[in-house]
Amino acid sequence: MATPNSTVKAGSDPVCDPYTMKSDSYPSILIKLDVVLTNPLTLRATTRLLNSSQVITFEGVMFQSGFVNDHALVACRSMGCSKVSANTQVSWTQTQTCRFTCPDGTSGLQLCRYMQSYLRCPSNPNDAMSLKECVAEPFWGYSGSDAGRYGAIGLVCTECGDL
């Protein structure tokens, strides 16, 4: 079993334990960002490791600060819906689990944490079809010990399948 103190032998792939992994331990490029749940708004990021074809995936809850109706519309579009009927702050406690998947395909659940905040969509949000187009750095929006204190986003999308 990998631990935070695991060592990697020269020429081998990094040791990955889906129960303890953190995305920032793996330099990578974001290739996909999907909506997993809408209440609270939970996202799944798929990243490709640098200089490799291997991917990792991890989930997290969208930080509510700065999430406006333009972002909500893009999130709904990414699920095949064309309108937002509700975009509100909801209560969230860090009891929900999120899936983390290593390059070798092993996966495990960890407590969810805030994933993304301060999105920046293209100058015309009507042009964006996926939240991946709106991602800003740093990817993890908030990592304090009081995760859940600020709530999360509740989203209701309508007119699905009408795009």
Side-chain angles (χ1 to χ4, degrees):
M1 175 182 245
T3 67
N5 298 321
S6 295
T7 57
V8 178
K9 295 179 183 173
S12 68
D13 290 331
V15 174
C16 180
D17 178 356
Y19 299 99
T20 60
M21 74 179 281
K22 297 195 183 316
S23 65
D24 58 357
S25 299
Y26 297 88
S28 58
I29 299 168
L30 180 67
I31 56 175
K32 192 174 179 183
L33 189 62
D34 297 314
V35 174
V36 178
L37 295 171
T38 57
N39 189 9
L41 183 56
T42 306
L43 307 175
R44 179 182 302 120
T46 302
T47 63
R48 183 180 50 79
L49 301 180
L50 293 180
N51 302 316
S52 173
S53 60
Q54 294 183 314
V55 297
I56 61 171
T57 62
F58 49 91
E59 298 173 352
V61 172
M62 181 72 203
F63 190 70
Q64 54 83 22
S65 177
F67 191 86
V68 297
N69 284 335
D70 288 345
H71 304 139
L73 178 59
V74 174
C76 287
R77 277 195 192 128
S78 73
M79 296 185 302
C81 304
S82 60
K83 292 198 177 176
V84 177
S85 64
N87 172 23
T88 187
Q89 182 176 346
V90 296
S91 175
W92 176 66
T93 56
Q94 195 179 20
T95 56
Q96 175 186 351
T97 55
C98 285
R99 182 161 302 282
F100 285 68
T101 305
C102 293
D104 66 1
T106 59
S107 65
L109 299 175
Q110 297 182 27
L111 284 178
C112 289
R113 55 190 180 266
Y114 290 120
M115 177 184 272
Q116 181 59 252
S117 63
Y118 312 109
L119 295 172
R120 278 183 243 124
C121 290
S123 58
N124 181 357
N126 292 320
D127 293 338
M129 297 300 289
S130 165
L131 284 177
K132 178 183 177 283
E133 299 173 56
C134 306
V135 169
E137 296 293 333
F139 194 78
W140 291 100
Y142 181 84
S143 59
S145 61
D146 56 351
R149 172 180 162 195
Y150 301 103
I153 295 165
L155 191 60
V156 177
C157 303
T158 58
E159 297 189 22
C160 300
D162 295 341
L163 289 179

